[in-house]
């Protein structure tokens, strides 16, 4: 950093420039959504850990997704709520970059977990006789560890490129959280390399996995149509449709944000897309899986039944 530049020690998150009354209303609304996110994903985790009938690879992966969603929400929503109550409250430089790093870890890990879950459904429906052999617990744990490790390493690459950049002002981050692209705009240096790496990583963890998921579900659809019993087809479609809903919500918003054009007017719209991505996705995931999954609903009934006095 040049001698005549002043290093930034804190940032100010612009968030949503609204009236105080509207900010207070959003604070209450987002607090309820946040509580539902923690409650819904916590219930999924509790059911999977307590009910032995859910001790299968599919629900093991679902428990990991719920864990990521809880961590994801806890990293982004509290700061957003603080911002709604105190718009002038700054966030430290270290705190901002920590939030950026954790946000990337959880988002990248979720990308990879969704691919793993689609592979699990592919093996279950297209290769049912070999399912227990292919999806052994050792393989499941390896896939989950690989997803978390890859998410961490990919996020670390972005941080290694971000940390050396000088930040000498302005301090206003045009976002409700310390999102990578929004922080990069404040750097007092050329960020072309960072932007190229973001697009390349987006192609790797978004376009590649989506292509793999589409191919997997093409095979799954062909296999499902061959199932003779209506009940068997319905069970296969119900579990797969839940996963497809989650995939569509997650990847749809992520691709628009990180692979679409990065300059001009769309940036403001992307801020609202990320709001949906970080606030609503983690809340909707447990609802989608519980409402469309008979086994989860049956496990919930069993738990509630045991809790009632005889």
């Amino acid at each position: 950093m040049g001698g005549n530049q002043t290093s930034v020690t804190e940032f100010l998150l612009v968030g949503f420039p609204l009236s105080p009354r509207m900010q207070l209303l959003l604070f209450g609304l987002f607090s309820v959504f946040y509580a539902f996110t923690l409650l819904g994903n916590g219930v999924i985790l509790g059911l999977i850990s307590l009910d032995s009938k859910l001790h299968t690879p599919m629900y093991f992966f679902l428990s990991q997704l719920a864990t990521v969603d809880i961590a994801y929400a806890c990293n982004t929503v509290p700061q957003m709520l603080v911002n709604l109550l105190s718009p002038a409250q700054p966030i430290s430089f270290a705190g901002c970059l920590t939030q950026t790093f954790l946000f990337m870890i959880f988002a990248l890990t979720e990308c990879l977990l969704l691919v793993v879950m689609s592979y699990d459904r592919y093996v279950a429906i297209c290769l049912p006789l070999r399912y227990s052999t292919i999806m052994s617990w050792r393989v499941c744990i390896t896939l989950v560890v690989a997803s978390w490790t890859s998410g961490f390493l990919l996020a670390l690459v972005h941080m290694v490129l971000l940390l050396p950049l000088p930040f000498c002002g302005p301090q206003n981050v045009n976002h409700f959280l310390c999102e990578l692209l929004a922080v990069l705009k404040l750097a007092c240096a050329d960020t072309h390399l960072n932007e190229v790496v973001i697009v390349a990583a987006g192609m790797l963890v978004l376009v590649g996995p989506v292509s793999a998921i589409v191919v997997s579900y093409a095979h799954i659809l062909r296999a499902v149509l061959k199932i003779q019993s209506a009940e068997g087809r319905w069970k296969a479609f119900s579990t797969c449709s839940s996963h497809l809903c989650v995939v569509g919500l997650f990847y749809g918003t992520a691709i628009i944000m990180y692979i679409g054009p990065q300059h001009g007017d769309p940036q403001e719209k992307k801020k609202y897309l990320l709001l949906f991505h970080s606030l609503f996705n983690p809340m909707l995931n447990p609802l989608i899986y519980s409402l469309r999954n008979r086994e989860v609903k049956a496990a919930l009934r069993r738990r509630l039944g045991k809790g009632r006095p005889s």
Side-chain angles (χ1 to χ4, degrees):
M1 187 174 295
N4 61 345
Q5 290 179 327
T6 304
S7 176
V8 169
T9 58
E10 58 186 26
F11 290 115
L12 192 65
L13 297 172
V14 173
F16 305 101
L18 302 167
S19 66
R21 180 177 294 181
M22 183 59 69
Q23 286 183 328
L24 194 61
L25 177 64
L26 288 179
F27 174 82
L29 191 62
F30 291 170
S31 296
V32 172
F33 290 159
Y34 181 48
F36 274 119
T37 298
L38 299 182
L39 178 63
N41 286 287
V43 167
I44 292 286
L45 280 174
L47 287 175
I48 292 171
S49 62
L50 293 173
D51 198 299
S52 59
K53 292 185 178 180
L54 299 184
H55 293 174
T56 63
M58 174 182 166
Y59 294 106
F60 173 63
F61 296 135
L62 180 56
S63 71
Q64 294 299 310
L65 184 66
T67 302
V68 171
D69 282 340
I70 289 173
Y72 196 77
C74 289
N75 181 55
T76 58
V77 180
Q79 181 62 48
M80 181 169 57
L81 294 177
V82 168
N83 231 37
L84 286 170
L85 281 184
S86 306
Q89 179 72 33
I91 181 172
S92 69
F93 181 81
C96 185
L97 294 193
T98 300
Q99 187 184 51
T100 303
F101 185 46
L102 292 175
F103 174 82
M104 288 189 291
I105 290 175
F106 301 139
L108 291 165
T109 301
E110 183 158 353
C111 280
L112 300 172
L113 280 175
L114 290 173
V115 179
V116 169
M117 293 173 76
S118 69
Y119 175 69
D120 172 69
R121 290 301 83 207
Y122 164 75
V123 176
I125 294 171
C126 298
L127 305 168
L129 298 179
R130 297 173 56 196
Y131 180 75
S132 58
T133 304
I134 296 173
M135 300 303 294
S136 64
W137 281 111
R138 182 178 179 181
V139 170
C140 293
I141 292 170
T142 301
L143 289 172
V144 166
V145 171
S147 298
W148 280 97
T149 304
S150 299
F152 173 82
L153 292 176
L154 284 168
L156 190 61
V157 169
H158 290 298
M159 292 305 295
V160 167
L161 293 173
L162 177 65
L163 285 171
L165 294 175
F167 291 89
C168 49
Q171 297 174 281
N172 292 348
V173 179
N174 185 22
H175 222 295
F176 59 87
L177 58 86
C178 290
E179 191 266 340
L180 181 61
L181 290 172
V183 174
L184 277 176
K185 288 183 180 296
L186 303 183
C188 306
D190 182 23
T191 60
H192 179 69
L193 177 61
N194 302 74
E195 291 169 6
V196 168
V197 172
I198 288 170
V199 173
M203 297 293 288
L204 179 66
V205 300
L206 293 175
V207 177
V210 165
S211 302
I213 290 171
V214 168
V215 171
S216 296
Y217 272 96
H219 288 288
I220 288 171
L221 180 61
R222 188 171 61 182
V224 168
L225 293 175
K226 291 179 181 178
I227 297 174
Q228 299 298 321
S229 72
E231 186 179 352
R233 280 198 301 271
W234 168 251
K235 184 177 180 181
F237 271 126
S238 64
T239 56
C240 292
S241 60
S242 300
H243 182 248
L244 277 176
C245 287
V246 173
V247 166
L249 287 170
F250 184 88
Y251 281 103
T253 52
I255 287 174
I256 294 170
M257 285 188 297
Y258 293 105
I259 301 183
Q262 302 299 332
H263 302 286
D265 217 28
Q267 282 302 112
E268 197 65 23
K269 295 176 183 175
K270 289 179 182 180
K271 184 162 68 172
Y272 291 93
L273 271 176
L274 189 57
L275 174 66
F276 180 87
H277 191 74
S278 58
L279 184 65
F280 295 102
N281 270 11
M283 181 184 70
L284 291 174
N285 286 354
L287 288 175
I288 291 169
Y289 278 106
S290 60
L291 290 176
R292 298 189 62 86
N293 192 299
R294 292 179 180 178
E295 292 174 336
V296 171
K297 288 190 283 188
L300 182 59
R301 283 194 293 268
R302 285 194 294 271
R303 289 295 110 192
L304 292 176
K306 284 185 179 182
R308 291 174 184 168
S310 54

